[in-house]
Amino acid sequence: MTDDPGLDALKHRVAGVALGPEVEETGRVTSVADGLVHVAGLPGARLGEVIVFADGAEGLVLNLDPDAVQVALLDLSAAVESGTEVRRTGRLLSVPVGKGLLGRVVDPLGRPLDDLPAIQPEAMLEIERPAPGIIDRDMVAEPVETGLLVVDALFAVGRGQRELIIGERSTGKTSIAVDAIVNQKSSDITCIYVAIGQRTTAVRRVIEAVREKGAFDRTIFVVAPATAAPGLRWIAPFAATSMAEHVRDNGGHVLIVYDDLTKHAAVHRELALLARQPPGREAYPGDIFYLHARLLERSAKLSAARGGGSLTALPIAEIEAGNLSAYIPTNLISIADGQIVTSAALFAGNQRPAVDIGLSVSRVGGKAQRGALKAVAGRVRLDYAQYLEMKMFSRFGGFGDASMRARLARGERIGALLAQNRYEPLSTPVQVALLAALADGALDEVPVDALPRLKAALGPVLAAEPTLAAFRAAPDRLDAETRAALVAGVRHALAAP
């Protein structure tokens, strides 16, 4: 008996058990209201702590009152009712991070939604983390190429920037963000798409588009649908940002899309009103600005001493009736480094992406733009804005002046160049070639309806030109010889059958 290996192993396990009293703090649910639970008897609870109900459902401590704590449910559970026992866990809410999340569809807690095995995390990170300090940041000077000519040429996005995408419902906001994700197929950027309160069918379309057109194995989908518990929708952007920060802090580059923060603000308002917090402007509590500010401030380009990684954010927001001065839009505009505004009128006029170049702006812009693209994009925005004004007045009578007719003709061609089909990104050499040909007058006599075919045919033509090999590898400088070769490539593509 004494030589029984099974008994020896059991003795070893028993010897390793720590014997002594264990302290566990428990409480009771006093009331339940639409995903927010009031719990009494947890005097030591902390903000952001996870608590567990009797049936195993989890909740997040949102507010501390003198005689109770307010807990947001992270799991919808019919068993949570008045009198249900609750216990503290002593840990702040954390999410799994690491390469195991790549190519997966998960909820904000890192639990799989794609019927694949559980995530094997490299580490666990808290969802609320401090933003990098000024001393730890670097200049935003490298581009995030979206493949959309209207964005890359006119409102360039840099690595570490926060560029808001805002507009009315169904004007192509998500399409712009998904196109940017798809275009990272040939880059070193990891992408994270966060769906907050979206319809399941809409999220499925995004996932399938990235699976078919983009780098699905370098993309993480964090999904908190409209049917999820309010607490789960509330933590979604914070949890996804922690997943992104793990990549950034290890020297990688991340593009994160929040779709959308308007619905996130609505969830925050819902929980705040249930918690009887005083409503402020438009019934939003006063801390809504701080909520989104502390979220978006976590996006940054880190200094070389911190690894040189970057986290670029594309938050999406929805407005009603073109009202950019509403509370949530003005909050987000003031936090972000610029905004891409979509126009319902342009969308209805089949100009897509329907970007309003008059209201859109990038506060980083040319500092993060490719040098070659910056050299040929200088007058495009002004010329197109003038064309849109002239087009409005031309409805009341024709322009007899030849120069005016030439401006209208060029404006039509600019609009045709800026229009793109979904999931058809343009490489930087193609974008530079198109704008160089436009500036040199090579497109003045080209029919507008021939320009979509030109954009599709130009890529292979430039790829086959040996003199452009160095430019294709690093399209940062544009000398006269390279510019002439690019324009010649455009003419060759136009002449092709």
mmCIF file of all heavy atoms in Angstrom, residues 168 319-325 359:
data_model
loop_
_atom_site.group_PDB
_atom_site.id
_atom_site.type_symbol
_atom_site.label_atom_id
_atom_site.label_comp_id
_atom_site.label_asym_id
_atom_site.label_seq_id
_atom_site.Cartn_x
_atom_site.Cartn_y
_atom_site.Cartn_z
ATOM 1 N N GLU A 168 -25.961 60.468 -41.770
ATOM 2 C CA GLU A 168 -27.305 59.964 -41.530
ATOM 3 C C GLU A 168 -27.367 58.461 -41.743
ATOM 4 O O GLU A 168 -26.434 57.853 -42.270
ATOM 5 C CB GLU A 168 -28.302 60.675 -42.447
ATOM 6 C CG GLU A 168 -28.431 62.164 -42.175
ATOM 7 C CD GLU A 168 -29.435 62.828 -43.094
ATOM 8 O OE1 GLU A 168 -30.547 62.279 -43.271
ATOM 9 O OE2 GLU A 168 -29.126 63.882 -43.664
ATOM 10 N N ILE A 319 -26.285 60.571 -37.271
ATOM 11 C CA ILE A 319 -27.016 61.806 -36.995
ATOM 12 C C ILE A 319 -28.390 61.720 -37.643
ATOM 13 O O ILE A 319 -28.639 60.876 -38.503
ATOM 14 C CB ILE A 319 -26.257 63.048 -37.506
ATOM 15 C CG1 ILE A 319 -26.008 62.942 -39.014
ATOM 16 C CG2 ILE A 319 -24.951 63.224 -36.754
ATOM 17 C CD1 ILE A 319 -25.348 64.182 -39.606
ATOM 18 N N GLU A 320 -29.270 62.609 -37.232
ATOM 19 C CA GLU A 320 -30.616 62.647 -37.781
ATOM 20 C C GLU A 320 -30.834 63.956 -38.513
ATOM 21 O O GLU A 320 -30.500 65.033 -38.005
ATOM 22 C CB GLU A 320 -31.655 62.491 -36.668
ATOM 23 C CG GLU A 320 -31.593 61.147 -35.949
ATOM 24 C CD GLU A 320 -32.645 61.018 -34.870
ATOM 25 O OE1 GLU A 320 -33.424 61.976 -34.701
ATOM 26 O OE2 GLU A 320 -32.674 59.973 -34.190
ATOM 27 N N ALA A 321 -31.364 63.858 -39.740
ATOM 28 C CA ALA A 321 -31.710 65.029 -40.550
ATOM 29 C C ALA A 321 -30.510 65.950 -40.753
ATOM 30 O O ALA A 321 -30.655 67.175 -40.799
ATOM 31 C CB ALA A 321 -32.871 65.787 -39.918
ATOM 32 N N GLY A 322 -29.313 65.368 -40.837
ATOM 33 C CA GLY A 322 -28.119 66.168 -41.094
ATOM 34 C C GLY A 322 -27.705 67.068 -39.957
ATOM 35 O O GLY A 322 -26.924 68.008 -40.159
ATOM 36 N N ASN A 323 -28.174 66.802 -38.741
ATOM 37 C CA ASN A 323 -27.916 67.680 -37.604
ATOM 38 C C ASN A 323 -26.587 67.326 -36.938
ATOM 39 O O ASN A 323 -26.535 66.504 -36.016
ATOM 40 C CB ASN A 323 -29.067 67.580 -36.606
ATOM 41 C CG ASN A 323 -28.894 68.536 -35.434
ATOM 42 O OD1 ASN A 323 -28.111 69.481 -35.512
ATOM 43 N ND2 ASN A 323 -29.621 68.306 -34.363
ATOM 44 N N LEU A 324 -25.520 67.986 -37.390
ATOM 45 C CA LEU A 324 -24.198 67.746 -36.802
ATOM 46 C C LEU A 324 -24.036 68.412 -35.447
ATOM 47 O O LEU A 324 -23.057 68.158 -34.740
ATOM 48 C CB LEU A 324 -23.106 68.271 -37.741
ATOM 49 C CG LEU A 324 -22.674 67.365 -38.900
ATOM 50 C CD1 LEU A 324 -21.720 68.110 -39.814
ATOM 51 C CD2 LEU A 324 -22.048 66.084 -38.408
ATOM 52 N N SER A 325 -24.970 69.285 -35.074
ATOM 53 C CA SER A 325 -24.830 70.028 -33.822
ATOM 54 C C SER A 325 -25.528 69.348 -32.657
ATOM 55 O O SER A 325 -25.639 69.938 -31.584
ATOM 56 C CB SER A 325 -25.395 71.445 -33.991
ATOM 57 O OG SER A 325 -26.786 71.397 -34.299
ATOM 58 N N LEU A 359 -17.746 69.448 -45.421
ATOM 59 C CA LEU A 359 -17.851 69.274 -43.971
ATOM 60 C C LEU A 359 -16.789 68.332 -43.421
ATOM 61 O O LEU A 359 -16.535 68.324 -42.217
ATOM 62 C CB LEU A 359 -19.239 68.739 -43.603
ATOM 63 C CG LEU A 359 -20.420 69.672 -43.905
ATOM 64 C CD1 LEU A 359 -21.743 68.974 -43.596
ATOM 65 C CD2 LEU A 359 -20.302 70.967 -43.112
#
